[in-house]
Amino acid sequence: VGPRFVQVALEPPYRIAIGSGVLSTAIAAAGGATGIALIADARAAELHAHRIQAPSGLPRLDLPAGEAAKELAVLGRALDFLAQSGLDRSSCVLVLGGGAACDLGALAASLYMRGIAVVLCPTTLLAQVDASVGGKTAINTAWGKNLAGTFHQPRAVIADVDTLSTLDEEDYRSGLGEVAKCAVLGGEQAFRNLEESADALLARHPDALQDTVAACVALKARIVASDERESGPRKQLNLGHTFAHAIERVAGYGAIPHGIAVACGLSLAAETSRACGLLADPATIERLRALLARLGLPADLAALRRRHALEPDALLRSMRSDKKNRAARIRLVLPRTLGAVEHDVEVDDGVLLRVLA
Ligand SMILES: NC(=O)c1ccc[n+]([C@@H]2O[C@H](COP(=O)([O-])OP(=O)(O)OC[C@H]3O[C@@H](n4cnc5c(N)ncnc54)[C@H](O)[C@@H]3O)[C@@H](O)[C@H]2O)c1
Ligand SMILES: [Zn+2]
């Protein structure tokens, strides 16, 4: 099967290519730029930069792997690198790597000469289904994750599923957590598709990956196009995330990969929805848990508590300080059913403590 394409209907519109071998089109996607420079996660570059088939002499900056790339000092180095590479306003930055590299590289592109073009080449499952779509860029500061960033839509996104074969098992499963979120948001058919492709996905079969990434990207592209700056519909993408952020924080950052915490957050959101009387069909919870377990993801807090101390009180305290809560009360995105969520639902502490226990 050939590659799939998803159009993002923003101004200007751009295209996301998903498939096996599509990295060889990355240079062409930069489309007549006066200059091109590559900013890459060091590990992803070592394993996959050759797939770009770049002309020799393409300037390249290697970033420290993972979250260490999202620092102000690294941003400074990236801006210097773009200048040293002679890029001007009509040039294009190519970014290769996971969500961290994409966030850093796109931020640098958005700042350099007040913003130049960027083509994102995500190489983790999480970055392909989530971080490379939607135009958010960020670095972390001492005060918190993603505290400094911009909105800067890419010129194109090239998601080559062949790159996913080298991901560590934990990073791969983290991506599957966001895939599960997309299935809940996508509705009955999307959820069934994931149930049916679970085994092929665990085997990282390229066709299954292409279909799954394309489905997630299409969902996110549609939501983002309707709400570029997150004033309404885009909030549904935070399903499971208030729980997940608390889990990540209480376990100690880095101890539990983001998407794995999101998986647990999905099941906690469904539980909370049932406790609030919002969930249309309680059987949805069992179905969700069964799917998460099949994907090797935690289906509840008990699964994570085998290795991490996650006390209900500590989780609740952390949820209360989540940046999405405007008042003291905790506001959550909760599922009503597959394909329909409610956002800004205020939930009592008592209900949450019972769910977290
Ligand atoms: N901008 C957004 O909308 C958005 C959305 C979701 C997440 N994010 C951000 O994304 C980041 C997480 O992204 P991530 O999960 O991709 O993690 P990551 O970028 O930290 O990459 C995880 C690890 O995988 C390695 N790696 C990358 N590609 C590889 C490959 N093909 N083979 C082997 N190893 C490879 C990296 O070196 C790193 O060690 C977070 O910083 C998060 O804030 C941003
Ligand atoms: Zn997420």
Side-chain angles (χ1 to χ4, degrees), residues 41 43-44 47-48 65-67 70 98-101 103 123-124 126-127 130-131 136 145-146 163 166-167 171 220:
D41 173 285
R43 177 139 192 250
L47 293 164
H48 302 293
E67 215 57 27
K70 291 176 61 169
D103 274 7
T123 61
T124 65
L126 187 133
D130 193 357
K136 285 188 185 177
K145 245 185 87 68
N146 297 331
T163 62
T166 54
L167 274 184
D171 287 319
K220 186 163 181 188

Side-chain angles (χ1 to χ4, degrees), residues 269-281 332-337 340-343 345-347:
E271 277 291 357
T272 307
S273 181
R274 170 162 69 183
C276 297
L278 271 177
L279 194 70
D281 179 4
L332 296 174
V333 183
L334 298 180
R336 279 187 177 281
T337 179
V341 298
E342 192 93 343
H343 57 73
V345 185
E346 293 194 0
V347 182

Side-chain angles (χ1 to χ4, degrees), residues 41-45 47-48 63-70 96-103 122-128 130-138 140 145-146 160 162-168 171 174-175 178 181 204 220 234 241 257-259:
D41 173 285
R43 177 139 192 250
L47 293 164
H48 302 293
L63 302 174
E67 215 57 27
K70 291 176 61 169
L96 182 77
C102 288
D103 274 7
T123 61
T124 65
L125 182 56
L126 187 133
Q128 293 192 353
D130 193 357
S132 64
V133 187
K136 285 188 185 177
T137 82
N140 307 321
K145 245 185 87 68
N146 297 331
D160 194 325
D162 292 347
T163 62
L164 305 180
S165 63
T166 54
L167 274 184
D168 290 350
D171 287 319
S174 180
E178 297 284 358
K181 180 194 78 178
R204 306 192 196 185
K220 186 163 181 188
R234 197 165 172 164
H241 276 61
H258 173 69

Side-chain angles (χ1 to χ4, degrees), residues 199-284:
D199 291 335
L201 277 180
L202 285 174
R204 306 192 196 185
H205 193 289
D207 291 348
L209 277 169
Q210 171 167 313
D211 288 346
T212 302
V213 172
C216 294
V217 163
L219 174 92
K220 186 163 181 188
R222 180 162 48 75
I223 294 170
V224 166
S226 73
D227 179 19
E228 190 178 3
R229 300 284 163 125
E230 194 165 332
S231 54
R234 197 165 172 164
K235 288 183 185 171
Q236 65 183 283
L237 292 167
N238 292 320
L239 178 65
H241 276 61
T242 302
F243 290 107
H245 292 149
I247 289 168
E248 289 177 82
R249 176 127 58 116
V250 173
Y253 277 117
I256 301 177
H258 173 69
I260 292 180
V262 168
C264 186
L266 293 176
S267 114
L268 291 169
E271 277 291 357
T272 307
S273 181
R274 170 162 69 183
C276 297
L278 271 177
L279 194 70
D281 179 4
T284 308

Side-chain angles (χ1 to χ4, degrees), residues 30 32-35 87-92 113 116-117 155:
T34 47
L87 298 202
D88 62 24
R89 285 189 186 80
S90 310
S91 297
C92 182
M113 294 190 167
I116 67 171
R155 174 174 288 179

